[in-house]
Every structure is written in C-alpha cells, then in structure tokens.
Amino acid sequence: MSILILGFPGDVHIHAVRWALDQAGADHQVLYTPDLPQMLRASVRLGGGMLPTASFHCARTAGKTGDYDTVWFRRSGLSMRPPSMPDADWTIAERECDHHIAILRQHLAPNAYWVNDAEARERAMLKSPQLEAARQCGLATPDTLYSNDPDEIRRFYAEHRESGVIFKLVHQSYWHAQASGARHALFTTQLRDEDLRDDAALSVCPATYQRKIEKRYELRVTCMDEACYPARLDSQSREKTRMDWRSDFSQPLVPQRVELPPQVEERCVQLMRRLGLAFGCIDLIVTPEGDYVFLEVNEMGQFLFVEERAPEIPLLRAFATLLVERKLTRSSKLVGSEQLNYAAYLACGDFDLACAADGVHHAPYQVPGLALEP
C-alpha cells in the first residue's frame, strides 16, 4: 500500500504528514508538480486497445499508474519558468505544462482513494455551490451577493443596512510594499457608506457581499471523512478579530476543543458527502441566540495551526490515519502512538532538513498570491 502526495516545496503540512506517515510505517512518495518542466519528466500513453497509463520520474522519485492506493491532493502548484526562457515561449509552454499536469493526475491513480478528488475539489472551490449545498443540508447561510455591479451592490447594502453588510474576496490577498518592506493583507471588512461612492472601485474587482451575522464565537471544524474536529475561536474577545478571526498576526486566537451538537455535526458530514470531499475545513458562526451559520468550507484548508495551539486535538495523527486507512470515523483507532503529534514534529527539527532537501532536489518555487508594490 502506497500514498502519493501532490504539492509544492516548503509546505509544512506536507512535511509534517510525511513525518507522521514514517512514524506509522506507511510507504509514501511526494510529487511536486512545479518541478515541471525543469526537473519533472512525465508521460501519458493511450491507444492499442489498452487503458491509459501514466508515469513520471523526478530526482529520487518515480511512479506509474497502479502504484498508489491513496492520493493526497494537497496543492496544485504552478509550473515554474525555466531560467532565461523568453516571455513568448513561456506563455505557450506554461499552458501546455498546466494541461500536462492535469492529464497526469487524471490517469496516474484512477482507482485510488483521493483526498480530495480533483473534480470535487474544483467544484468545491466555487463558493456559491458551497452555500447552496449547505442550505440543502439544513445549515443556515447568510444572504449573499457576488457582484461587480455598483447598482446591485448598493441595492443589497440598502436591503441589509440595519444588520450591516460585510465585504470579502474569494482568495486571500496580500501586498508587499518593496520600498518599506511592509506587508498588508485584506480580511473580511464591514462595508460603509463611503465605500459605495466610486463606481470604478466597485466594478473593477468582483467581490462577495454578505449580510453581517452577529457572533458569539466562531468555529473551525476540520472534517475528515465522517469525523469532525471542531475548535472554538473567541473572535469577539478583542476588537481586531471581531470581523475576521485571522486578522491579528501579533496575537493569534487560541482555539479551544469543543463538541458540536449532534444535528450540526451530521449536517457537516452530509455537506462533505454532497460536495464529494474526504477532507475540508468548515467555518461556522455561532450567534448570540445559539444558531449555527455556515460561511464556507476550504477543501484543503490549513489545520496544523489548530493542533499547535490546542494540542489536545489530534489532527496530524487523524489525518495520517485517513490517508493510511482510507476512512475515518469518530470511533476509528488512530495510527501510531500519542507521541505522533505536531508538537513532536516541530521539536524534532525535521522541517528545516526537509526544506533544505527541497532546495537541493527540486525546482525553486515561488508561492503565488503576493502582490508587489513599488
């Protein structure tokens, strides 16, 4: 039994999970898709009355169709441009690399257990189908508008003036001011009258507008198959995190282990099934009245920060179990011992060694999403 991990270099989740799989005695390999085209060599063959077959080799790793029982699709890293390749050539080659990686994924492990299935992943990355699926599962959802039409945005704002309206982007965005070195991030923000005056500003970037939901606290629910691991985040305890619990880098909120009401837990599991996901991180609001309101599910959300600050929640060990056993329930026996935890991984020094090895054996990778300013 072998596990294939798809991602990119320098990802602490990948290296921590690989360490956990080593502790559990599970065979595994990693395929960094950004190694194409500089280092990765991959082929897909069809014809002759045979089923399609795929194969790859890169540095110290090689694999082919049929080698893997489980695939963890952690991230789809972008292809990295070879040094000195002209702009025009890379425009063409980059498109072909993206397609090549897509068909490699399609044929490399067609019968494996995927976390998550590529097609389900693409569907789940669209926020509006998430909200509709959550509603169909019985979860409350906020009134929502996706728009770049200034008239529609102002109309929505007027309808919900009493409760308020929040603004957010689908993709988390960061800016780096190169002159000063300062870094900025855009988090969920409450909309104001003055934000609606400029048609150009409203129309140039489509955004998400939602009726503001009053919060008692928030929940980060890490779902793995049929097991849910909820963590409470007291975002209303300080002004800086009231709109967005992620927004205080200097003093991150400390998650607390809690239990979900059975009905809410069942609805979360039902939502994951409806979306076709084996893993996902669901964000919920708990209102002052005790209602549970669904915001979104991140199909491959970060989860180790929860265990780092709340070590009683065994997320690393549970995730390793999901990959090894290809299922997980509340009653599942977790692989390894209690010493298989994120604190032990951080203490062992493996991450620095693994990142150093990444630098030697793989193409340099620049994570997308950082906007540079003069």
Side-chain angles (χ1 to χ4, degrees):
M1 182 252 176
S2 184
I3 298 164
L4 178 65
I5 301 169
L6 303 176
F8 53 70
D11 185 340
V12 68
H13 281 72
I14 286 180
H15 290 309
V17 169
R18 295 192 75 188
W19 172 85
L21 293 173
D22 283 339
Q23 305 305 304
D27 182 54
H28 57 91
Q29 290 182 321
V30 66
L31 170 58
Y32 290 152
T33 51
D35 282 338
L36 186 76
Q38 296 186 49
M39 305 179 72
L40 174 61
R41 305 293 175 257
S43 301
V44 176
R45 181 159 186 173
L46 301 88
M50 304 294 289
L51 293 173
T53 58
S55 61
F56 73 90
H57 60 92
C58 180
R60 299 172 294 178
T61 303
K64 63 184 185 303
T65 300
D67 284 352
Y68 307 104
D69 303 285
T70 301
V71 179
W72 176 26
F73 191 176
R74 165 63 180 163
R75 287 283 190 265
S76 181
L78 301 178
S79 300
M80 289 291 99
R81 175 177 174 169
S84 76
M85 177 176 272
D87 291 348
D89 292 350
W90 180 237
T91 298
I92 296 168
E94 184 179 26
R95 290 198 301 260
E96 296 303 310
C97 286
D98 290 345
H99 178 265
H100 198 53
I101 287 298
I103 63 170
L104 179 67
R105 285 196 303 260
Q106 180 75 23
H107 298 295
L108 191 55
N111 299 316
Y113 178 75
W114 281 70
V115 183
N116 286 307
D117 173 79
E119 292 183 5
R121 174 183 182 273
E122 290 301 315
R123 289 193 303 270
M125 290 177 70
L126 298 174
K127 301 302 183 182
S128 57
Q130 285 187 19
L131 287 170
E132 178 57 19
R135 185 193 64 80
Q136 293 172 353
C137 293
L139 290 166
T141 59
D143 290 348
T144 303
L145 174 70
Y146 301 99
S147 184
N148 75 326
D149 184 330
D151 291 336
E152 288 290 337
I153 295 167
R154 293 188 187 106
R155 186 176 298 116
F156 186 82
Y157 180 74
E159 289 174 6
H160 298 289
R161 178 180 292 275
E162 184 176 343
S163 60
V165 172
I166 62 93
F167 157 91
K168 61 184 179 182
L169 300 178
V170 169
H171 303 289
Q172 183 63 55
S173 301
Y174 301 91
W175 287 263
H176 181 201
Q178 295 174 292
S180 65
R183 290 177 180 252
H184 309 280
L186 180 60
F187 296 106
T188 302
T189 306
Q190 183 161 356
L191 210 60
R192 305 165 300 174
D193 290 346
E194 53 264 40
D195 298 324
L196 302 175
R197 293 171 183 163
D198 187 346
D199 280 13
L202 294 172
S203 60
V204 73
C205 182
T208 305
Y209 302 88
Q210 288 182 322
R211 180 174 69 86
K212 180 186 173 186
I213 305 296
E214 292 300 323
K215 306 172 183 177
R216 186 165 70 186
Y217 57 88
E218 297 181 66
L219 291 170
R220 177 79 161 193
V221 185
T222 305
C223 298
M224 305 182 193
D225 193 21
E226 296 183 5
C228 294
Y229 296 89
R232 171 172 170 158
L233 295 158
D234 283 313
S235 58
Q236 305 308 287
S237 63
R238 63 181 86 141
E239 187 62 32
K240 197 168 185 179
T241 58
R242 291 179 69 83
M243 284 294 111
D244 194 321
W245 59 260
R246 303 166 299 173
S247 60
D248 193 348
F249 289 125
S250 63
Q251 190 180 0
L253 293 174
V254 178
Q256 303 171 48
R257 184 173 187 168
V258 294
E259 293 293 328
L260 287 175
Q263 187 179 51
V264 175
E265 181 171 343
E266 175 53 36
R267 288 171 179 172
C268 288
V269 172
Q270 184 182 351
L271 173 62
M272 297 292 288
R273 290 177 184 150
R274 184 178 288 270
L275 294 173
L277 301 178
F279 173 89
C281 298
I282 295 176
D283 290 328
L284 301 173
I285 288 173
V286 179
T287 70
E289 296 76 27
D291 297 324
Y292 290 73
V293 180
F294 171 87
L295 294 179
E296 66 177 0
V297 55
N298 187 329
E299 67 84 30
M300 198 48 67
Q302 311 286 65
F303 60 94
L304 290 178
F305 79 93
V306 175
E307 182 175 338
E308 182 177 11
R309 299 166 197 162
E312 68 275 13
I313 307 178
L315 295 178
L316 178 57
R317 192 177 173 199
F319 191 76
T321 303
L322 176 66
L323 297 182
V324 171
E325 301 295 338
R326 301 186 294 283
K327 62 180 180 180
L328 192 69
T329 68
R330 288 176 62 95
S331 60
S332 293
K333 180 181 178 182
L334 302 184
V335 298
S337 68
E338 292 186 359
Q339 280 66 51
L340 198 166
N341 57 64
Y342 189 46
Y345 174 70
L346 293 176
C348 77
D350 175 84
F351 183 60
D352 290 339
L353 295 174
C355 287
D358 281 350
V360 172
H361 299 292
H362 299 281
Y365 185 63
Q366 180 178 350
V367 179
L370 181 65
L372 300 178
E373 295 179 340

